[in-house]
Amino acid sequence: QVQLVESGGGLVQAGGSLRLSCVASGRTFSNYAMGWFRQAPGKEREFVAARGKTGFSTYYADSVKGRFTISTDSAKNTVYLQMNSLKPEDTAVYYCAAAFQAEYGLSSDKLYRYWGQGTQVTVSS
């Protein structure tokens, strides 16, 4: 069992930045690929970014490439999502997720067994 707790969401103006954090507990952090997904009102959940189990591969949705960065701190069992140049269309609930021993296909939410409770990000225009 892995428990994931996100934090760092909030209200920011367009063009601003936020950093989301997700602390994992319960199992060895290094055995898991970590991903970020988001869901806006009335829309399906969508992939945002992910880091493979080994930590050498990262993946981004085209809509956030060049603006968002996923990173990890293994000593703190934490994965971060640095979000820069935020746009109103980035408004959503952001979820952290963990997939055991995964390295590829990380944009599919079906790969992830464990999910956090989500943190709201609101970008005003």
Side-chain angles (χ1 to χ4, degrees):
Q1 190 77 10
V2 175
Q3 294 80 39
L4 303 172
V5 179
E6 302 100 332
S7 62
L11 174 63
V12 64
Q13 287 189 330
S17 298
L18 281 175
R19 189 178 78 159
L20 305 183
S21 300
C22 173
V23 180
S25 60
R27 292 289 177 92
T28 305
F29 185 71
S30 59
N31 286 337
Y32 289 83
M34 302 299 296
W36 287 96
F37 290 76
R38 66 187 182 187
Q39 188 167 21
K43 294 187 177 181
E44 293 188 353
R45 185 166 58 193
E46 65 174 359
F47 169 73
V48 175
R51 179 225 71 174
K53 180 190 90 68
T54 63
F56 292 117
S57 55
T58 55
Y59 306 89
Y60 296 94
D62 288 342
S63 59
V64 307
K65 206 170 291 184
R67 300 188 298 123
F68 291 11
T69 303
I70 187 171
S71 62
T72 56
D73 184 337
S74 297
K76 296 182 179 180
N77 279 7
T78 301
V79 58
Y80 302 98
L81 185 68
Q82 177 67 44
M83 305 186 295
N84 298 328
S85 301
L86 282 161
K87 304 175 181 180
E89 51 264 44
D90 294 318
T91 295
V93 177
Y94 283 71
Y95 297 91
C96 170
F100 183 66
Q101 297 283 9
E103 194 69 33
Y104 305 104
L106 297 181
S107 62
S108 171
D109 60 359
K110 294 178 175 58
L111 204 64
Y112 297 83
R113 180 174 182 180
Y114 303 104
W115 293 82
Q117 82 289 350
T119 186
Q120 176 70 47
V121 171
T122 303
V123 184
S124 63
S125 56

